[in-house]
mmCIF file with all atom_site columns, all heavy atoms in Angstrom:
data_model
loop_
_atom_site.group_PDB
_atom_site.id
_atom_site.type_symbol
_atom_site.label_atom_id
_atom_site.label_alt_id
_atom_site.label_comp_id
_atom_site.label_asym_id
_atom_site.label_entity_id
_atom_site.label_seq_id
_atom_site.pdbx_PDB_ins_code
_atom_site.Cartn_x
_atom_site.Cartn_y
_atom_site.Cartn_z
_atom_site.occupancy
_atom_site.B_iso_or_equiv
_atom_site.pdbx_formal_charge
_atom_site.auth_seq_id
_atom_site.auth_comp_id
_atom_site.auth_asym_id
_atom_site.auth_atom_id
_atom_site.pdbx_PDB_model_num
ATOM 1   N N   . LYS A 1 2  ? -74.542  -18.511 -40.662 1.00 0.00 ? 2  LYS A N   1
ATOM 2   C CA  . LYS A 1 2  ? -75.333  -18.533 -39.424 1.00 0.00 ? 2  LYS A CA  1
ATOM 3   C C   . LYS A 1 2  ? -76.518  -17.707 -39.449 1.00 0.00 ? 2  LYS A C   1
ATOM 4   O O   . LYS A 1 2  ? -76.460  -16.530 -39.973 1.00 0.00 ? 2  LYS A O   1
ATOM 5   C CB  . LYS A 1 2  ? -74.364  -18.026 -38.277 1.00 0.00 ? 2  LYS A CB  1
ATOM 6   C CG  . LYS A 1 2  ? -74.351  -18.874 -37.105 1.00 0.00 ? 2  LYS A CG  1
ATOM 7   C CD  . LYS A 1 2  ? -73.513  -18.334 -35.953 1.00 0.00 ? 2  LYS A CD  1
ATOM 8   C CE  . LYS A 1 2  ? -73.265  -19.302 -34.966 1.00 0.00 ? 2  LYS A CE  1
ATOM 9   N NZ  . LYS A 1 2  ? -72.429  -18.837 -33.905 1.00 0.00 ? 2  LYS A NZ  1
ATOM 10  N N   . THR A 1 4  ? -79.210  -15.136 -38.301 1.00 0.00 ? 4  THR A N   1
ATOM 11  C CA  . THR A 1 4  ? -79.322  -14.086 -37.367 1.00 0.00 ? 4  THR A CA  1
ATOM 12  C C   . THR A 1 4  ? -80.667  -14.209 -36.540 1.00 0.00 ? 4  THR A C   1
ATOM 13  O O   . THR A 1 4  ? -81.658  -14.388 -37.156 1.00 0.00 ? 4  THR A O   1
ATOM 14  C CB  . THR A 1 4  ? -79.321  -12.682 -38.031 1.00 0.00 ? 4  THR A CB  1
ATOM 15  O OG1 . THR A 1 4  ? -78.188  -12.622 -38.903 1.00 0.00 ? 4  THR A OG1 1
ATOM 16  C CG2 . THR A 1 4  ? -79.303  -11.564 -37.045 1.00 0.00 ? 4  THR A CG2 1
ATOM 17  N N   . PRO A 1 7  ? -84.927  -10.124 -33.554 1.00 0.00 ? 7  PRO A N   1
ATOM 18  C CA  . PRO A 1 7  ? -85.034  -9.303  -32.453 1.00 0.00 ? 7  PRO A CA  1
ATOM 19  C C   . PRO A 1 7  ? -86.186  -9.564  -31.511 1.00 0.00 ? 7  PRO A C   1
ATOM 20  O O   . PRO A 1 7  ? -87.156  -10.110 -32.069 1.00 0.00 ? 7  PRO A O   1
ATOM 21  C CB  . PRO A 1 7  ? -85.138  -7.826  -33.025 1.00 0.00 ? 7  PRO A CB  1
ATOM 22  C CG  . PRO A 1 7  ? -85.656  -8.105  -34.342 1.00 0.00 ? 7  PRO A CG  1
ATOM 23  C CD  . PRO A 1 7  ? -85.279  -9.429  -34.805 1.00 0.00 ? 7  PRO A CD  1
ATOM 24  N N   . SER A 1 11 ? -92.766  -5.509  -27.210 1.00 0.00 ? 11 SER A N   1
ATOM 25  C CA  . SER A 1 11 ? -93.472  -5.623  -25.925 1.00 0.00 ? 11 SER A CA  1
ATOM 26  C C   . SER A 1 11 ? -92.727  -6.575  -24.935 1.00 0.00 ? 11 SER A C   1
ATOM 27  O O   . SER A 1 11 ? -93.356  -6.827  -23.829 1.00 0.00 ? 11 SER A O   1
ATOM 28  C CB  . SER A 1 11 ? -94.991  -6.022  -26.077 1.00 0.00 ? 11 SER A CB  1
ATOM 29  O OG  . SER A 1 11 ? -95.624  -4.909  -26.843 1.00 0.00 ? 11 SER A OG  1
ATOM 30  N N   . VAL A 1 16 ? -84.766  -6.363  -16.293 1.00 0.00 ? 16 VAL A N   1
ATOM 31  C CA  . VAL A 1 16 ? -85.388  -5.777  -15.112 1.00 0.00 ? 16 VAL A CA  1
ATOM 32  C C   . VAL A 1 16 ? -86.882  -5.859  -15.175 1.00 0.00 ? 16 VAL A C   1
ATOM 33  O O   . VAL A 1 16 ? -87.475  -5.290  -14.280 1.00 0.00 ? 16 VAL A O   1
ATOM 34  C CB  . VAL A 1 16 ? -84.783  -4.316  -14.850 1.00 0.00 ? 16 VAL A CB  1
ATOM 35  C CG1 . VAL A 1 16 ? -83.383  -4.372  -14.429 1.00 0.00 ? 16 VAL A CG1 1
ATOM 36  C CG2 . VAL A 1 16 ? -85.177  -3.462  -15.960 1.00 0.00 ? 16 VAL A CG2 1
ATOM 37  N N   . ASP A 1 26 ? -89.439  5.981   -18.414 1.00 0.00 ? 26 ASP A N   1
ATOM 38  C CA  . ASP A 1 26 ? -88.523  6.198   -17.286 1.00 0.00 ? 26 ASP A CA  1
ATOM 39  C C   . ASP A 1 26 ? -87.527  7.285   -17.675 1.00 0.00 ? 26 ASP A C   1
ATOM 40  O O   . ASP A 1 26 ? -87.085  8.104   -16.837 1.00 0.00 ? 26 ASP A O   1
ATOM 41  C CB  . ASP A 1 26 ? -87.859  4.927   -16.861 1.00 0.00 ? 26 ASP A CB  1
ATOM 42  C CG  . ASP A 1 26 ? -86.946  5.152   -15.604 1.00 0.00 ? 26 ASP A CG  1
ATOM 43  O OD1 . ASP A 1 26 ? -87.560  5.473   -14.628 1.00 0.00 ? 26 ASP A OD1 1
ATOM 44  O OD2 . ASP A 1 26 ? -85.767  4.923   -15.687 1.00 0.00 ? 26 ASP A OD2 1
ATOM 45  N N   . GLY A 1 28 ? -88.136  9.606   -19.811 1.00 0.00 ? 28 GLY A N   1
ATOM 46  C CA  . GLY A 1 28 ? -88.822  10.802  -20.167 1.00 0.00 ? 28 GLY A CA  1
ATOM 47  C C   . GLY A 1 28 ? -88.775  11.217  -21.599 1.00 0.00 ? 28 GLY A C   1
ATOM 48  O O   . GLY A 1 28 ? -88.933  12.358  -21.954 1.00 0.00 ? 28 GLY A O   1
ATOM 49  N N   . ARG A 1 34 ? -93.556  7.906   -28.750 1.00 0.00 ? 34 ARG A N   1
ATOM 50  C CA  . ARG A 1 34 ? -94.266  8.037   -29.962 1.00 0.00 ? 34 ARG A CA  1
ATOM 51  C C   . ARG A 1 34 ? -93.829  6.948   -31.039 1.00 0.00 ? 34 ARG A C   1
ATOM 52  O O   . ARG A 1 34 ? -94.707  6.336   -31.639 1.00 0.00 ? 34 ARG A O   1
ATOM 53  C CB  . ARG A 1 34 ? -94.027  9.397   -30.656 1.00 0.00 ? 34 ARG A CB  1
ATOM 54  C CG  . ARG A 1 34 ? -94.932  10.474  -30.087 1.00 0.00 ? 34 ARG A CG  1
ATOM 55  C CD  . ARG A 1 34 ? -94.687  11.736  -30.847 1.00 0.00 ? 34 ARG A CD  1
ATOM 56  N NE  . ARG A 1 34 ? -95.310  12.895  -30.152 1.00 0.00 ? 34 ARG A NE  1
ATOM 57  C CZ  . ARG A 1 34 ? -94.673  13.709  -29.422 1.00 0.00 ? 34 ARG A CZ  1
ATOM 58  N NH1 . ARG A 1 34 ? -93.368  13.596  -29.091 1.00 0.00 ? 34 ARG A NH1 1
ATOM 59  N NH2 . ARG A 1 34 ? -95.323  14.634  -28.728 1.00 0.00 ? 34 ARG A NH2 1
ATOM 60  N N   . ALA A 1 39 ? -94.997  1.967   -33.818 1.00 0.00 ? 39 ALA A N   1
ATOM 61  C CA  . ALA A 1 39 ? -94.507  0.571   -34.338 1.00 0.00 ? 39 ALA A CA  1
ATOM 62  C C   . ALA A 1 39 ? -95.312  -0.614  -33.703 1.00 0.00 ? 39 ALA A C   1
ATOM 63  O O   . ALA A 1 39 ? -95.115  -1.755  -34.059 1.00 0.00 ? 39 ALA A O   1
ATOM 64  C CB  . ALA A 1 39 ? -93.047  0.438   -33.826 1.00 0.00 ? 39 ALA A CB  1
ATOM 65  N N   . ALA A 1 52 ? -96.808  -2.370  -12.401 1.00 0.00 ? 52 ALA A N   1
ATOM 66  C CA  . ALA A 1 52 ? -97.098  -1.056  -12.993 1.00 0.00 ? 52 ALA A CA  1
ATOM 67  C C   . ALA A 1 52 ? -97.023  -1.091  -14.591 1.00 0.00 ? 52 ALA A C   1
ATOM 68  O O   . ALA A 1 52 ? -96.169  -1.761  -15.177 1.00 0.00 ? 52 ALA A O   1
ATOM 69  C CB  . ALA A 1 52 ? -96.035  -0.025  -12.645 1.00 0.00 ? 52 ALA A CB  1
ATOM 70  N N   . ALA A 1 57 ? -96.086  4.428   -14.628 1.00 0.00 ? 57 ALA A N   1
ATOM 71  C CA  . ALA A 1 57 ? -94.791  4.901   -14.433 1.00 0.00 ? 57 ALA A CA  1
ATOM 72  C C   . ALA A 1 57 ? -94.613  6.310   -14.921 1.00 0.00 ? 57 ALA A C   1
ATOM 73  O O   . ALA A 1 57 ? -93.953  7.161   -14.288 1.00 0.00 ? 57 ALA A O   1
ATOM 74  C CB  . ALA A 1 57 ? -93.725  4.018   -15.248 1.00 0.00 ? 57 ALA A CB  1
ATOM 75  N N   . CYS A 1 66 ? -95.749  11.972  -21.738 1.00 0.00 ? 66 CYS A N   1
ATOM 76  C CA  . CYS A 1 66 ? -95.810  10.516  -22.068 1.00 0.00 ? 66 CYS A CA  1
ATOM 77  C C   . CYS A 1 66 ? -97.036  9.913   -21.658 1.00 0.00 ? 66 CYS A C   1
ATOM 78  O O   . CYS A 1 66 ? -97.667  9.034   -22.295 1.00 0.00 ? 66 CYS A O   1
ATOM 79  C CB  . CYS A 1 66 ? -94.636  9.812   -21.286 1.00 0.00 ? 66 CYS A CB  1
ATOM 80  S SG  . CYS A 1 66 ? -92.993  10.204  -22.045 1.00 0.00 ? 66 CYS A SG  1
ATOM 81  N N   . GLU A 1 71 ? -102.235 7.289   -23.080 1.00 0.00 ? 71 GLU A N   1
ATOM 82  C CA  . GLU A 1 71 ? -103.657 7.310   -22.807 1.00 0.00 ? 71 GLU A CA  1
ATOM 83  C C   . GLU A 1 71 ? -104.491 7.562   -24.141 1.00 0.00 ? 71 GLU A C   1
ATOM 84  O O   . GLU A 1 71 ? -105.450 7.011   -24.329 1.00 0.00 ? 71 GLU A O   1
ATOM 85  C CB  . GLU A 1 71 ? -104.063 8.345   -21.729 1.00 0.00 ? 71 GLU A CB  1
ATOM 86  C CG  . GLU A 1 71 ? -105.561 8.305   -21.467 1.00 0.00 ? 71 GLU A CG  1
ATOM 87  C CD  . GLU A 1 71 ? -106.007 7.148   -20.688 1.00 0.00 ? 71 GLU A CD  1
ATOM 88  O OE1 . GLU A 1 71 ? -105.227 6.429   -20.072 1.00 0.00 ? 71 GLU A OE1 1
ATOM 89  O OE2 . GLU A 1 71 ? -107.166 6.854   -20.733 1.00 0.00 ? 71 GLU A OE2 1
ATOM 90  N N   . ARG A 1 75 ? -105.206 10.796  -30.501 1.00 0.00 ? 75 ARG A N   1
ATOM 91  C CA  . ARG A 1 75 ? -105.252 12.230  -30.437 1.00 0.00 ? 75 ARG A CA  1
ATOM 92  C C   . ARG A 1 75 ? -103.822 12.718  -30.865 1.00 0.00 ? 75 ARG A C   1
ATOM 93  O O   . ARG A 1 75 ? -103.670 13.878  -31.334 1.00 0.00 ? 75 ARG A O   1
ATOM 94  C CB  . ARG A 1 75 ? -105.550 12.789  -29.105 1.00 0.00 ? 75 ARG A CB  1
ATOM 95  C CG  . ARG A 1 75 ? -107.035 12.642  -28.740 1.00 0.00 ? 75 ARG A CG  1
ATOM 96  C CD  . ARG A 1 75 ? -107.256 13.368  -27.484 1.00 0.00 ? 75 ARG A CD  1
ATOM 97  N NE  . ARG A 1 75 ? -108.598 12.988  -26.988 1.00 0.00 ? 75 ARG A NE  1
ATOM 98  C CZ  . ARG A 1 75 ? -108.945 13.153  -25.727 1.00 0.00 ? 75 ARG A CZ  1
ATOM 99  N NH1 . ARG A 1 75 ? -108.163 13.849  -24.909 1.00 0.00 ? 75 ARG A NH1 1
ATOM 100 N NH2 . ARG A 1 75 ? -110.156 12.790  -25.392 1.00 0.00 ? 75 ARG A NH2 1
ATOM 101 N N   . ALA A 1 80 ? -102.983 7.102   -36.616 1.00 0.00 ? 80 ALA A N   1
ATOM 102 C CA  . ALA A 1 80 ? -103.521 7.597   -37.858 1.00 0.00 ? 80 ALA A CA  1
ATOM 103 C C   . ALA A 1 80 ? -102.400 7.670   -38.868 1.00 0.00 ? 80 ALA A C   1
ATOM 104 O O   . ALA A 1 80 ? -102.611 7.443   -40.112 1.00 0.00 ? 80 ALA A O   1
ATOM 105 C CB  . ALA A 1 80 ? -104.152 8.969   -37.700 1.00 0.00 ? 80 ALA A CB  1
#
Side-chain angles (χ1 to χ4, degrees):
K2 227 179 194 181
T4 306
S11 299
V16 294
D26 187 62
R34 279 187 191 95
C66 286
E71 182 68 22
R75 286 190 197 163

